[in-house]
Amino acid sequence: MSKIRIEAFVSIPPCSGGVAVKRLLSEIEAEYGDQVEIVFLTGPDDPAWEQYAITNAPAMVIGDLVKIVGLAPSKGSLVGALREAGLQ
């Protein structure tokens, strides 16, 4: 089974939402590390921001779909989005 890719878009310096996203993704990695691949993208200079038309941070792309923009989700919301992408 391939890992579900989570692309987390955060600003530098991090806003409170970005800090919360990093903390949440640490929890997700601890619980589901064998099933997820987490990549952090900072900037708006990173080309992925333009590719996905991300204009607000924090944001998350799960698989290949933009799922969360402009806020840090609850753990339940994030796990639900991961389950939609195939998390077991």
Coordinates of all heavy atoms in Angstrom, one line a residue:
M1 N 0.8 -1.2 0.0 CA 0.0 0.0 0.0 C 0.9 1.2 0.0 O 1.8 1.3 0.8 CB -0.9 0.0 1.2 CG -1.8 1.1 1.3 SD -2.9 1.0 2.8 CE -2.7 2.6 3.4
S2 N 0.6 2.2 -0.8 CA 1.3 3.4 -0.9 C 0.9 4.4 0.2 O -0.2 4.3 0.7 CB 1.2 4.1 -2.3 OG -0.1 4.5 -2.5
K3 N 1.8 5.2 0.6 CA 1.5 6.2 1.7 C 0.7 7.3 1.1 O 0.8 7.7 0.0 CB 2.8 6.7 2.2 CG 3.6 5.7 3.0 CD 4.8 6.4 3.7 CE 5.5 5.4 4.5 NZ 6.5 6.0 5.4
I4 N -0.2 7.9 2.0 CA -1.0 9.0 1.7 C -0.1 10.3 1.9 O 0.5 10.5 3.0 CB -2.2 9.1 2.5 CG1 -3.1 7.9 2.3 CG2 -3.0 10.4 2.2 CD1 -4.2 7.7 3.3
R5 N 0.1 11.1 0.9 CA 0.9 12.3 0.9 C 0.1 13.4 1.5 O -1.0 13.7 1.0 CB 1.4 12.6 -0.4 CG 2.4 13.8 -0.4 CD 3.0 14.0 -1.8 NE 3.8 15.2 -2.0 CZ 5.1 15.2 -1.8 NH1 5.8 14.1 -1.5 NH2 5.7 16.4 -2.0
I6 N 0.7 14.1 2.5 CA 0.1 15.3 3.1 C 1.1 16.4 2.9 O 2.2 16.4 3.3 CB -0.1 15.1 4.6 CG1 -1.0 13.9 5.0 CG2 -0.7 16.4 5.2 CD1 -1.0 13.6 6.5
E7 N 0.6 17.4 2.1 CA 1.5 18.6 1.9 C 0.9 19.7 2.7 O -0.3 20.1 2.6 CB 1.4 19.0 0.4 CG 2.1 17.9 -0.5 CD 2.0 18.3 -2.0 OE1 2.9 19.0 -2.5 OE2 1.0 17.8 -2.6
A8 N 1.7 20.1 3.7 CA 1.3 21.2 4.6 C 1.9 22.5 4.2 O 3.2 22.6 4.2 CB 1.7 20.8 6.0
F9 N 1.1 23.5 3.9 CA 1.6 24.8 3.5 C 1.6 25.7 4.7 O 0.5 25.9 5.3 CB 0.7 25.4 2.4 CG 0.7 24.6 1.1 CD1 0.0 23.4 1.0 CD2 1.5 25.0 0.1 CE1 0.1 22.6 -0.2 CE2 1.6 24.3 -1.1 CZ 0.9 23.1 -1.2
V10 N 2.7 26.2 5.1 CA 2.8 27.0 6.3 C 3.7 28.3 6.0 O 4.5 28.2 5.1 CB 3.4 26.3 7.5 CG1 2.5 25.2 8.0 CG2 4.8 25.7 7.2
S11 N 3.4 29.3 6.7 CA 4.2 30.6 6.5 C 5.4 30.6 7.3 O 5.6 29.9 8.3 CB 3.3 31.8 6.8 OG 2.9 31.7 8.1
I12 N 6.3 31.5 6.9 CA 7.5 31.8 7.7 C 7.5 33.3 7.9 O 7.5 34.0 7.0 CB 8.8 31.4 6.9 CG1 8.9 29.9 6.7 CG2 10.1 31.9 7.6 CD1 9.1 29.1 7.9
P13 N 7.6 33.8 9.1 CA 7.5 33.0 10.4 C 6.1 32.4 10.5 O 5.2 32.9 10.0 CB 7.8 34.1 11.5 CG 7.4 35.4 10.9 CD 7.6 35.2 9.4
P14 N 6.1 31.3 11.3 CA 4.8 30.6 11.4 C 3.7 31.4 12.2 O 4.1 32.1 13.2 CB 5.1 29.3 12.2 CG 6.4 29.7 12.9 CD 7.1 30.7 12.1
C15 N 2.5 31.4 11.7 CA 1.4 32.0 12.4 C 0.9 30.9 13.4 O 1.4 29.8 13.5 CB 0.3 32.3 11.5 SG -0.4 30.9 10.6
S16 N 0.0 31.3 14.3 CA -0.5 30.4 15.3 C -1.2 29.1 14.6 O -1.0 28.0 15.1 CB -1.5 31.0 16.2 OG -2.6 31.5 15.5
G17 N -1.8 29.3 13.5 CA -2.4 28.2 12.8 C -1.3 27.2 12.3 O -1.5 26.0 12.3
G18 N -0.2 27.8 11.8 CA 0.9 26.9 11.3 C 1.5 26.1 12.4 O 1.9 25.0 12.2
V19 N 1.6 26.8 13.6 CA 2.2 26.1 14.7 C 1.2 24.9 15.1 O 1.7 23.8 15.4 CB 2.4 27.0 15.9 CG1 2.7 26.3 17.2 CG2 3.5 28.1 15.6
A20 N -0.1 25.2 15.1 CA -1.0 24.1 15.4 C -1.0 23.0 14.4 O -1.1 21.8 14.8 CB -2.4 24.7 15.5
V21 N -0.8 23.3 13.1 CA -0.8 22.3 12.1 C 0.5 21.4 12.3 O 0.4 20.2 12.2 CB -0.8 23.0 10.7 CG1 -0.3 22.0 9.6 CG2 -2.2 23.4 10.3
K22 N 1.6 22.0 12.6 CA 2.8 21.2 12.8 C 2.6 20.3 14.0 O 3.0 19.1 14.0 CB 4.0 22.2 13.0 CG 4.5 22.8 11.8 CD 5.7 23.7 12.0 CE 6.2 24.3 10.7 NZ 7.4 25.1 10.8
R23 N 2.0 20.8 15.1 CA 1.8 20.0 16.3 C 0.8 18.8 15.9 O 1.1 17.7 16.3 CB 1.2 20.8 17.4 CG 1.1 20.1 18.7 CD 0.6 21.1 19.8 NE 1.4 22.3 19.9 CZ 1.0 23.5 19.9 NH1 -0.3 23.7 19.7 NH2 1.8 24.5 20.0
L24 N -0.2 19.1 15.2 CA -1.2 18.1 14.8 C -0.6 17.1 13.9 O -0.8 15.9 14.1 CB -2.4 18.8 14.1 CG -3.4 17.8 13.5 CD1 -4.1 17.0 14.6 CD2 -4.5 18.7 12.8
L25 N 0.2 17.5 12.9 CA 0.9 16.5 12.0 C 1.9 15.7 12.7 O 2.1 14.5 12.4 CB 1.5 17.2 10.8 CG 0.4 17.8 9.8 CD1 1.1 18.6 8.7 CD2 -0.4 16.7 9.3
S26 N 2.5 16.2 13.8 CA 3.4 15.3 14.6 C 2.6 14.2 15.3 O 3.1 13.1 15.3 CB 4.1 16.2 15.7 OG 5.0 17.0 15.2
E27 N 1.4 14.5 15.8 CA 0.5 13.5 16.3 C 0.1 12.5 15.3 O 0.1 11.3 15.5 CB -0.7 14.1 16.9 CG -0.5 14.9 18.2 CD -1.8 15.5 18.7 OE1 -2.9 14.8 18.6 OE2 -1.8 16.6 19.2
I28 N -0.2 13.0 14.1 CA -0.7 12.1 13.0 C 0.5 11.2 12.6 O 0.3 9.9 12.4 CB -1.2 12.9 11.8 CG1 -2.5 13.6 12.1 CG2 -1.3 12.0 10.6 CD1 -3.6 12.8 12.5
E29 N 1.7 11.7 12.5 CA 2.9 10.9 12.2 C 3.1 9.8 13.2 O 3.5 8.7 12.9 CB 4.1 11.8 12.0 CG 5.3 11.0 11.4 CD 6.4 11.9 11.0 OE1 6.7 12.9 11.8 OE2 7.0 11.7 10.0
A30 N 3.0 10.2 14.5 CA 3.2 9.2 15.6 C 2.2 8.1 15.5 O 2.5 6.9 15.7 CB 3.1 9.9 16.9
E31 N 0.9 8.3 15.1 CA -0.1 7.3 15.0 C -0.2 6.6 13.7 O -0.5 5.4 13.7 CB -1.5 8.0 15.3 CG -1.7 8.4 16.7 CD -3.1 8.9 17.0 OE1 -4.0 8.4 16.5 OE2 -3.1 10.0 17.7
Y32 N 0.1 7.3 12.6 CA -0.1 6.7 11.3 C 1.1 6.8 10.4 O 1.0 6.7 9.2 CB -1.3 7.4 10.6 CG -2.6 7.4 11.3 CD1 -3.0 8.5 12.0 CD2 -3.4 6.3 11.4 CE1 -4.2 8.6 12.7 CE2 -4.6 6.3 12.1 CZ -5.0 7.4 12.8 OH -6.1 7.4 13.5
G33 N 2.3 6.9 11.0 CA 3.5 7.1 10.3 C 3.8 6.2 9.2 O 4.4 6.5 8.2
D34 N 3.4 4.9 9.3 CA 3.6 3.9 8.3 C 2.6 4.1 7.1 O 2.8 3.5 6.1 CB 3.5 2.5 8.8 CG 2.1 2.2 9.5 OD1 1.5 3.2 9.9 OD2 1.7 1.1 9.5
Q35 N 1.6 5.0 7.2 CA 0.6 5.1 6.2 C 0.6 6.5 5.6 O -0.1 6.7 4.6 CB -0.8 4.9 6.8 CG -1.0 3.5 7.3 CD -2.4 3.3 7.8 OE1 -3.4 3.4 7.1 NE2 -2.5 3.0 9.1
V36 N 1.4 7.5 6.2 CA 1.4 8.8 5.6 C 2.8 9.3 5.3 O 3.8 8.9 6.0 CB 0.7 9.8 6.6 CG1 -0.8 9.5 6.8 CG2 1.4 9.9 7.9
E37 N 2.9 10.2 4.4 CA 4.1 10.9 4.1 C 3.8 12.4 4.3 O 2.9 12.9 3.6 CB 4.6 10.6 2.7 CG 5.7 11.5 2.2 CD 6.0 11.4 0.7 OE1 5.3 10.7 0.0 OE2 7.0 12.0 0.3
I38 N 4.5 13.1 5.1 CA 4.2 14.5 5.4 C 5.3 15.4 4.9 O 6.5 15.1 5.1 CB 4.1 14.7 6.9 CG1 2.9 13.9 7.5 CG2 3.9 16.2 7.2 CD1 2.8 13.9 9.0
V39 N 4.9 16.4 4.1 CA 5.9 17.3 3.5 C 5.4 18.7 3.9 O 4.3 19.1 3.7 CB 5.9 17.2 1.9 CG1 6.8 18.2 1.3 CG2 6.3 15.8 1.5
F40 N 6.4 19.5 4.4 CA 6.1 20.9 4.7 C 6.6 21.8 3.6 O 7.7 21.7 3.1 CB 6.7 21.3 6.0 CG 6.0 20.7 7.2 CD1 6.5 19.6 7.8 CD2 4.9 21.3 7.8 CE1 5.9 19.0 8.9 CE2 4.3 20.8 8.8 CZ 4.7 19.6 9.4
L41 N 5.7 22.8 3.1 CA 6.1 23.7 2.1 C 5.9 25.1 2.7 O 4.9 25.5 3.2 CB 5.2 23.5 0.9 CG 5.2 22.1 0.3 CD1 4.0 21.8 -0.5 CD2 6.5 22.0 -0.6
T42 N 7.0 25.9 2.6 CA 7.0 27.2 3.2 C 7.2 28.2 2.0 O 7.7 27.9 1.0 CB 8.1 27.4 4.2 OG1 9.4 27.2 3.6 CG2 7.9 26.5 5.4
G43 N 6.6 29.3 2.2 CA 6.9 30.3 1.2 C 5.7 31.0 0.8 O 4.7 30.6 1.2
P44 N 5.5 31.8 -0.1 CA 4.7 31.6 -1.3 C 5.6 31.4 -2.4 O 5.2 31.3 -3.6 CB 3.8 32.8 -1.4 CG 4.5 33.8 -0.6 CD 5.3 33.1 0.4
D45 N 6.9 31.4 -2.2 CA 7.9 31.2 -3.3 C 8.0 29.8 -3.8 O 8.5 29.6 -4.9 CB 9.3 31.7 -2.9 CG 9.3 33.2 -2.5 OD1 8.4 33.9 -3.1 OD2 10.1 33.6 -1.7
D46 N 7.5 28.9 -3.1 CA 7.5 27.5 -3.5 C 6.5 27.3 -4.6 O 5.4 27.7 -4.5 CB 7.1 26.6 -2.3 CG 7.3 25.1 -2.6 OD1 6.8 24.6 -3.6 OD2 8.1 24.5 -1.8
P47 N 6.9 26.7 -5.7 CA 6.0 26.5 -6.9 C 4.7 25.8 -6.5 O 3.7 26.0 -7.2 CB 6.8 25.7 -7.9 CG 8.2 25.8 -7.4 CD 8.2 26.1 -6.0
A48 N 4.7 24.9 -5.5 CA 3.5 24.2 -5.2 C 2.4 25.1 -4.8 O 1.2 24.8 -5.0 CB 3.8 23.1 -4.1
W49 N 2.7 26.2 -4.1 CA 1.7 27.2 -3.7 C 0.9 27.6 -5.0 O -0.4 27.7 -4.9 CB 2.3 28.4 -3.0 CG 2.8 28.1 -1.6 CD1 3.8 27.3 -1.3 CD2 2.3 28.7 -0.4 NE1 3.9 27.3 0.1 CE2 3.0 28.2 0.6 CE3 1.3 29.6 -0.1 CZ2 2.8 28.5 2.0 CZ3 1.1 30.0 1.2 CH2 1.8 29.4 2.2
E50 N 1.6 27.9 -6.0 CA 0.9 28.3 -7.3 C 0.2 27.2 -7.9 O -0.9 27.3 -8.4 CB 1.9 29.0 -8.2 CG 1.3 29.7 -9.4 CD 2.3 30.4 -10.2 OE1 3.1 31.2 -9.6 OE2 2.3 30.3 -11.4
Q51 N 0.8 26.0 -7.9 CA 0.2 24.8 -8.6 C -1.2 24.5 -8.0 O -2.1 24.2 -8.7 CB 1.1 23.6 -8.3 CG 0.5 22.3 -8.8 CD 1.4 21.1 -8.4 OE1 2.5 21.2 -7.9 NE2 0.8 19.9 -8.6
Y52 N -1.3 24.6 -6.7 CA -2.6 24.4 -6.0 C -3.4 25.6 -5.8 O -4.5 25.6 -5.2 CB -2.4 23.7 -4.7 CG -1.8 22.3 -4.8 CD1 -0.6 21.9 -4.4 CD2 -2.6 21.2 -5.4 CE1 -0.1 20.6 -4.5 CE2 -2.1 19.9 -5.5 CZ -0.9 19.7 -5.1 OH -0.4 18.4 -5.2
A53 N -2.9 26.8 -6.2 CA -3.6 28.1 -6.0 C -3.8 28.4 -4.5 O -4.9 28.9 -4.1 CB -4.9 28.2 -6.8
I54 N -2.8 28.0 -3.7 CA -2.9 28.3 -2.2 C -2.6 29.8 -2.0 O -1.6 30.2 -2.4 CB -1.9 27.4 -1.4 CG1 -2.2 25.9 -1.7 CG2 -2.0 27.7 0.1 CD1 -3.4 25.4 -1.1
T55 N -3.5 30.5 -1.3 CA -3.3 31.9 -1.1 C -3.3 32.2 0.4 O -2.9 33.3 0.8 CB -4.4 32.7 -1.7 OG1 -5.7 32.3 -1.3 CG2 -4.3 32.6 -3.2
N56 N -3.7 31.2 1.3 CA -3.8 31.4 2.7 C -3.1 30.3 3.4 O -3.3 29.1 3.0 CB -5.2 31.5 3.2 CG -5.9 32.8 2.8 OD1 -5.3 33.8 2.5 ND2 -7.2 32.7 2.7
A57 N -2.3 30.6 4.4 CA -1.7 29.5 5.2 C -2.4 29.5 6.6 O -2.8 30.6 7.1 CB -0.2 29.7 5.3
P58 N -2.5 28.4 7.3 CA -2.0 27.1 6.8 C -3.0 26.5 5.9 O -4.2 26.9 5.8 CB -1.9 26.3 8.1 CG -3.0 26.9 9.0 CD -3.0 28.4 8.7
A59 N -2.5 25.6 5.1 CA -3.3 24.8 4.2 C -2.8 23.4 4.0 O -1.6 23.2 4.4 CB -3.4 25.5 2.8
M60 N -3.6 22.5 3.6 CA -3.2 21.1 3.5 C -3.8 20.5 2.2 O -5.0 20.7 1.9 CB -3.6 20.2 4.6 CG -2.8 20.4 5.9 SD -3.2 19.2 7.1 CE -3.3 20.2 8.5
V61 N -2.9 19.8 1.5 CA -3.3 19.0 0.3 C -3.1 17.6 0.8 O -2.0 17.2 1.2 CB -2.4 19.3 -0.9 CG1 -2.7 18.4 -2.1 CG2 -2.6 20.8 -1.4
I62 N -4.2 16.8 0.6 CA -4.1 15.4 1.0 C -4.3 14.6 -0.2 O -5.4 14.7 -0.9 CB -5.2 15.1 2.1 CG1 -4.9 15.9 3.3 CG2 -5.2 13.6 2.4 CD1 -5.9 15.9 4.4
G63 N -3.4 13.7 -0.5 CA -3.4 13.1 -1.8 C -3.1 14.1 -2.9 O -2.0 14.7 -2.9
D64 N -4.0 14.4 -3.7 CA -3.9 15.4 -4.7 C -5.0 16.4 -4.7 O -5.2 17.2 -5.6 CB -3.7 14.8 -6.1 CG -5.0 14.0 -6.5 OD1 -5.9 13.8 -5.7 OD2 -5.0 13.6 -7.7
L65 N -5.7 16.5 -3.5 CA -6.8 17.4 -3.4 C -6.6 18.4 -2.3 O -6.1 18.1 -1.2 CB -8.1 16.6 -3.0 CG -8.6 15.7 -4.1 CD1 -9.8 14.9 -3.5 CD2 -9.0 16.4 -5.3
V66 N -6.8 19.7 -2.6 CA -6.7 20.7 -1.5 C -7.9 20.5 -0.6 O -9.1 20.5 -1.0 CB -6.8 22.1 -2.2 CG1 -6.8 23.2 -1.1 CG2 -5.7 22.4 -3.2
K67 N -7.6 20.2 0.7 CA -8.7 19.8 1.6 C -8.9 20.9 2.7 O -10.0 21.1 3.2 CB -8.3 18.5 2.3 CG -8.5 17.3 1.5 CD -10.0 17.1 1.2 CE -10.2 15.7 0.7 NZ -11.7 15.4 0.6
I68 N -7.8 21.6 3.1 CA -7.9 22.6 4.2 C -7.2 23.9 3.8 O -6.0 23.8 3.3 CB -7.4 22.0 5.4 CG1 -8.2 20.8 5.8 CG2 -7.3 23.0 6.6 CD1 -7.5 19.8 6.7
V69 N -7.8 25.0 3.9 CA -7.2 26.3 3.6 C -7.6 27.3 4.7 O -8.7 27.5 4.9 CB -7.6 26.8 2.2 CG1 -6.9 28.2 1.9 CG2 -7.2 25.8 1.1
G70 N -6.6 28.0 5.2 CA -6.8 29.1 6.1 C -7.0 28.8 7.5 O -7.3 29.7 8.3
L71 N -6.9 27.6 7.9 CA -7.1 27.2 9.4 C -6.5 25.9 9.7 O -6.1 25.1 8.8 CB -8.6 27.2 9.7 CG -9.5 26.2 8.9 CD1 -9.5 24.8 9.4 CD2 -10.9 26.7 8.8
A72 N -6.3 25.7 11.0 CA -5.8 24.5 11.5 C -7.0 23.6 11.8 O -7.8 24.0 12.6 CB -4.9 24.7 12.7
P73 N -7.1 22.4 11.2 CA -8.2 21.6 11.4 C -8.2 20.9 12.8 O -7.1 20.8 13.4 CB -8.2 20.5 10.3 CG -6.7 20.4 10.1 CD -6.1 21.8 10.3
S74 N -9.3 20.3 13.2 CA -9.3 19.5 14.4 C -8.6 18.1 14.0 O -8.6 17.8 12.8 CB -10.7 19.2 14.9 OG -11.4 18.5 14.0
K75 N -8.2 17.4 14.9 CA -7.6 16.1 14.6 C -8.7 15.2 14.0 O -8.4 14.5 13.0 CB -7.1 15.4 15.9 CG -6.4 14.1 15.6 CD -5.8 13.6 16.9 CE -5.0 12.3 16.6 NZ -4.4 11.7 17.8
G76 N -9.9 15.3 14.4 CA -11.0 14.5 13.8 C -11.2 14.8 12.4 O -11.4 13.9 11.6
S77 N -11.2 16.1 12.1 CA -11.4 16.5 10.7 C -10.3 16.0 9.8 O -10.5 15.6 8.7 CB -11.5 18.0 10.6 OG -12.6 18.5 11.2
L78 N -9.1 16.1 10.3 CA -7.9 15.7 9.5 C -7.9 14.2 9.3 O -7.7 13.7 8.2 CB -6.6 16.1 10.2 CG -5.3 15.7 9.4 CD1 -5.3 16.2 8.0 CD2 -4.1 16.2 10.1
V79 N -8.2 13.4 10.3 CA -8.3 12.0 10.2 C -9.4 11.6 9.2 O -9.3 10.7 8.4 CB -8.5 11.3 11.6 CG1 -8.8 9.8 11.4 CG2 -7.2 11.5 12.4
G80 N -10.6 12.3 9.3 CA -11.7 12.1 8.3 C -11.2 12.3 6.9 O -11.5 11.5 6.0
A81 N -10.5 13.4 6.7 CA -10.0 13.7 5.3 C -9.0 12.6 4.9 O -9.0 12.2 3.7 CB -9.3 15.0 5.3
L82 N -8.2 12.1 5.8 CA -7.2 11.0 5.5 C -7.9 9.7 5.2 O -7.5 9.0 4.3 CB -6.2 10.8 6.6 CG -5.2 11.9 6.8 CD1 -4.5 11.8 8.1 CD2 -4.2 11.9 5.7
R83 N -9.0 9.5 5.9 CA -9.8 8.3 5.6 C -10.4 8.3 4.2 O -10.5 7.3 3.5 CB -10.9 8.0 6.7 CG -10.2 7.7 8.0 CD -11.2 7.0 8.9 NE -10.7 6.8 10.3 CZ -9.7 6.0 10.7 NH1 -9.2 5.2 9.8 NH2 -9.3 5.9 11.9
E84 N -10.9 9.5 3.8 CA -11.4 9.7 2.5 C -10.4 9.4 1.4 O -10.7 8.9 0.3 CB -11.9 11.1 2.3 CG -13.2 11.5 3.0 CD -13.6 12.9 2.8 OE1 -13.0 13.6 2.0 OE2 -14.6 13.3 3.5
A85 N -9.1 9.7 1.8 CA -8.0 9.4 0.9 C -7.5 8.0 0.9 O -6.5 7.6 0.2 CB -6.9 10.4 1.2
G86 N -8.0 7.1 1.8 CA -7.7 5.8 1.9 C -7.0 5.3 3.1 O -6.5 4.1 3.2
L87 N -6.9 6.1 4.2 CA -6.3 5.7 5.4 C -7.0 4.6 6.0 O -8.3 4.6 6.1 CB -6.2 6.9 6.4 CG -5.5 6.6 7.8 CD1 -4.0 6.6 7.6 CD2 -5.9 7.7 8.8
Q88 N -6.3 3.5 6.5 CA -7.0 2.4 7.1 C -7.1 2.5 8.6 O -6.3 3.0 9.2 CB -6.1 1.1 6.8 CG -5.9 0.9 5.4 CD -7.1 0.2 4.7 OE1 -7.9 -0.4 5.3 NE2 -7.2 0.4 3.4

